[in-house]
């Protein structure tokens, strides 16, 4: 791959740039970078359109920071103006790659989020439960995870995959030559251009293990976590593995969420055979390796997947998520013990915190769990009333009605009612 990208004009209208700007800002908190761009939004929009039309657009500096939940990792936040370009690029590539993706590839796809992945896994478990039994366990599962996935992606290989798909679309008449060349040029700039970064907190960055730092990735490897294009490129890269598992190994029940994938089989020997072939394919074709010793267990014990313990007939919240919830509530309480009266902003943060966990709990059989959270944190009764079905009612109705009713229903009202015999 040539390290320099010649100027290639991107055929795009100003209206399309404006639409991408609106979609990029949707649902995002107004950061200082975004407010700076929107202060002179029309001028910035015209500048972006000019840069794209002339082929001189280049990625701007990113901001690097560290998050510790659910695990410590490095995030590279792109400039807000670049997010419009990522949106334009990904939306056009999605139309070309979506038909090539398998149905059971989840994350970063419309309608294929985490809850859809959990529901699909549970559907697989029910199907296997109804199959002729060959063992008391009624089936086994293999769970694999890619080691240091984003930092291990080989960019030249990824770029070749993107170019191949663009050439196929052009040959079929699905994409004009000028558009294919423009998309190829944007991909080249994102995958090869050395993007400068500003580290927010060097002390926090030191907490990230060295092999997890993007700057320590092998030559030609690594994608920055935190932007839309990297998330989409990660799906493109592992699509080769999806095709291998589905069409070469012919595994009937398997699904993938980013770099975490689960296979269901009839025996440990069958799963171990698939595992050996998958590891060989990952190493030889994609330059990847499995994170740790793969887990082969009977399905009857449940599968720990995306924050849930999934069984064929019910789901429970993962103990890890429950511990995080308890720790977050304790941290909030500790930080506000010294106040006699709480500000409305502080209460709003508590509502958002508890609402996010209640939204996660609502997709599992968790009514007793939600009552247990209130029993362990009786001070929550000063701000909320817990309903018998696990729903949450704030004690400030005047302020509560200012929130959108639709958001309240989606976030705080449970969608699962606990069975009488459920246990946590």
């Amino acid at each position: 791959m040539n390290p320099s990208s010649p100027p290639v004009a991107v055929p795009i209208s100003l209206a399309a740039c404006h639409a991408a700007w609106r979609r990029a800002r949707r649902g995002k908190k107004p950061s200082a970078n975004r407010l700076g761009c929107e202060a002179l939004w029309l001028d910035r929009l015209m500048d972006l359109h000019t840069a794209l039309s002339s082929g001189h657009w280049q990625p701007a500096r990113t901001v690097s920071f560290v998050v510790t939940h659910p695990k410590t990792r490095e995030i590279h936040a792109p400039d807000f103006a670049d997010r419009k370009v990522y949106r334009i690029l990904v939306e056009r590539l999605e139309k070309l790659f979506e038909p090539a993706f398998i149905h059971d590839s989840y994350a970063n796809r419309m309608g294929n989020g985490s809850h859809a992945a959990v529901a699909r896994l549970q559907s697989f478990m029910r199907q296997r439960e109804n199959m002729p039994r060959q063992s008391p366990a009624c089936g086994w599962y293999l769970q694999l995870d890619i080691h240091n996935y984003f930092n291990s992606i080989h960019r030249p290989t990824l770029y070749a995959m993107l170019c191949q798909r663009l050439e196929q679309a052009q040959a079929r008449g699905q994409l004009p030559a000028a558009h294919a060349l423009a998309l190829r040029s944007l991909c080249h700039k994102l995958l090869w251009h050395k993007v400068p970064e500003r580290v927010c907190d060097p002390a926090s960055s030191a907490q990230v293990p060295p092999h997890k730092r993007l700057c320590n990735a092998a030559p030609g490897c690594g994608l920055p976590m935190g932007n839309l294009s990297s998330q989409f490129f990660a799906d493109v890269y592992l699509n080769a593995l999806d095709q291998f598992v589905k069409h070469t190994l012919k595994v009937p029940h398997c699904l993938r969420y980013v770099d975490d994938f689960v296979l269901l089989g009839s025996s440990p020997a069958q799963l171990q055979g698939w595992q050996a072939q998958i590891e060989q394919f990952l190493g030889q074709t994609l330059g990847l390796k499995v994170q740790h010793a793969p887990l082969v267990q009977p399905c009857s014990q449940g599968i720990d997947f995306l924050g849930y313990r999934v069984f064929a007939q019910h789901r429970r919240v993962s103990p890890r998520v429950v511990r995080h919830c308890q720790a977050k509530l304790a941290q909030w309480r500790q930080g506000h013990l010294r106040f006699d009266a709480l500000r409305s902003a502080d209460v709003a943060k508590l509502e958002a915190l508890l609402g996010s966990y209640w939204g996660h709990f609502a997709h599992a059989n968790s009514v007793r769990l939600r009552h247990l959270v209130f029993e362990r944190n009786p001070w929550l009764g000063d701000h909320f009333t817990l309903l018998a079905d696990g729903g949450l009612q704030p004690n400030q109705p005047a302020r509560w009605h200012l929130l959108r009713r639709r958001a309240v229903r989606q976030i705080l009202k449970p969608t699962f009612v606990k069975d009488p015999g459920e246990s946590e």
Side-chain angles (χ1 to χ4, degrees):
M1 190 162 49
N2 191 345
S4 61
S5 298
V8 176
V10 178
I12 187 171
S13 65
L14 183 61
C17 290
H18 180 258
W21 166 68
R22 291 178 60 87
R23 288 190 294 272
R25 70 194 296 268
R26 186 182 302 160
K28 303 295 184 182
K29 292 183 178 180
S31 63
N33 178 243
R34 170 182 157 182
L35 292 176
C37 288
E38 294 185 348
L40 300 171
W41 69 272
L42 185 56
D43 293 339
R44 298 294 180 88
L45 199 62
M46 293 290 292
D47 292 342
L48 176 64
H49 179 256
T50 302
L52 289 174
S53 300
S54 63
H56 290 91
W57 175 85
Q58 292 290 344
R61 182 180 66 172
T62 64
V63 177
S64 174
F65 60 94
V66 175
V67 297
T68 58
H69 178 78
K71 57 185 178 181
T72 302
R73 62 189 187 277
E74 187 181 48
I75 302 297
H76 300 265
D79 186 80
F80 181 72
D82 287 350
R83 294 181 184 180
K84 309 169 196 175
V85 181
Y86 298 153
R87 180 71 59 175
I88 292 169
L89 173 64
V90 170
E91 287 178 353
R92 283 153 178 73
L93 290 177
E94 279 179 338
K95 297 178 182 179
L96 304 178
F97 277 91
E98 189 64 29
F101 290 155
I102 66 171
H103 178 271
D104 294 316
S105 167
Y106 294 85
N108 311 315
R109 297 177 64 192
M110 185 65 67
N112 278 27
S114 59
H115 297 307
V118 171
R120 182 66 166 173
L121 176 60
Q122 192 170 40
S123 174
F124 284 161
M125 298 174 72
R126 288 172 179 168
Q127 292 177 31
R128 298 205 65 85
E129 196 175 58
N130 296 328
M131 293 173 63
R133 301 191 177 190
Q134 299 181 0
S135 68
C138 301
W140 297 73
Y141 74 91
L142 167 68
Q143 194 164 11
L144 299 173
D145 189 14
I146 304 297
H147 172 71
N148 200 16
Y149 176 51
F150 276 83
N151 284 358
S152 302
I153 294 176
H154 190 236
R155 294 195 302 272
T157 301
L158 172 61
Y159 181 69
M161 294 176 177
L162 295 168
C163 291
Q164 181 182 18
R165 191 66 181 175
L166 290 173
E167 291 172 0
Q168 292 173 350
Q170 182 180 347
R172 295 169 183 167
Q174 299 174 336
L175 196 65
H179 289 248
L181 182 60
L183 293 176
R184 179 170 179 168
S185 175
L186 290 177
C187 292
H188 188 279
K189 291 178 180 179
L190 289 178
L191 293 177
W192 190 261
H193 183 70
K194 178 65 175 178
V195 180
E197 67 175 40
R198 177 174 66 86
V199 180
C200 286
D201 187 357
S204 298
S205 298
Q207 300 176 6
V208 181
H211 70 282
K212 291 286 187 180
R213 298 290 306 275
L214 181 62
C215 61
N216 295 331
C221 295
L223 293 180
M225 294 182 62
N227 62 60
L228 183 63
S229 63
S230 293
Q231 297 170 3
F232 176 75
F233 289 160
D235 276 345
V236 171
Y237 199 68
L238 278 185
N239 180 55
L241 174 65
D242 295 336
Q243 303 297 331
F244 175 76
V245 171
K246 281 288 187 180
H247 302 300
T248 302
L249 299 184
K250 300 187 183 301
V251 181
H253 298 138
C254 65
L255 59 86
R256 176 179 62 83
Y257 188 90
V258 191
D259 62 332
D260 187 5
F261 47 106
V262 181
L263 295 81
L264 306 183
S266 57
S267 67
Q270 183 185 50
L271 291 173
Q272 289 168 358
W274 287 339
Q275 171 199 333
Q277 297 179 72
I278 289 173
E279 291 185 348
Q280 182 180 10
F281 178 85
L282 286 173
Q284 294 180 352
T285 306
L286 301 178
L288 303 174
K289 59 181 180 180
V290 174
Q291 171 80 10
H292 48 68
L295 182 65
V296 179
Q297 297 287 346
C299 293
S300 58
Q301 294 185 4
I303 304 176
D304 195 353
F305 188 61
L306 300 180
Y308 298 98
R309 193 72 180 176
V310 185
F311 296 84
Q313 301 302 328
H314 68 282
R315 308 174 201 167
R316 297 177 182 172
V317 179
S318 171
R320 172 179 54 84
V321 176
V322 177
R323 290 193 299 270
H324 287 161
C325 176
Q326 184 61 35
K328 289 287 187 180
L329 291 175
Q331 181 181 5
W332 189 93
R333 178 60 174 166
Q334 185 67 28
H336 295 84
L337 280 176
R338 63 183 183 276
F339 297 111
D340 295 331
L342 294 175
R343 298 173 301 175
S344 59
D346 296 326
V347 179
K349 291 180 179 179
L350 177 61
E351 290 176 357
L353 171 64
L354 201 59
S356 65
Y357 280 104
W358 246 240
H360 183 83
F361 293 172
H363 291 269
N365 304 85
S366 62
V367 174
R368 289 182 60 181
L369 170 62
R370 284 177 265 185
H371 282 272
L372 182 60
V373 170
F374 264 67
E375 292 176 7
R376 292 178 177 177
N377 302 274
W379 57 270
L380 288 174
D382 297 337
H383 308 284
F384 303 95
T385 298
L386 185 65
L387 305 180
D389 63 355
L392 206 59
Q393 178 66 47
N395 295 339
Q396 298 179 358
R399 182 179 180 278
W400 183 254
H401 288 304
L402 295 177
L403 298 176
R404 291 182 300 175
R405 294 182 179 180
R406 182 178 179 183
V408 171
R409 289 197 300 267
Q410 290 180 346
I411 295 177
L412 298 183
K413 188 173 181 180
T415 58
F416 282 80
V417 178
K418 178 190 154 306
D419 297 328
E422 176 195 338
S423 61
E424 297 294 339

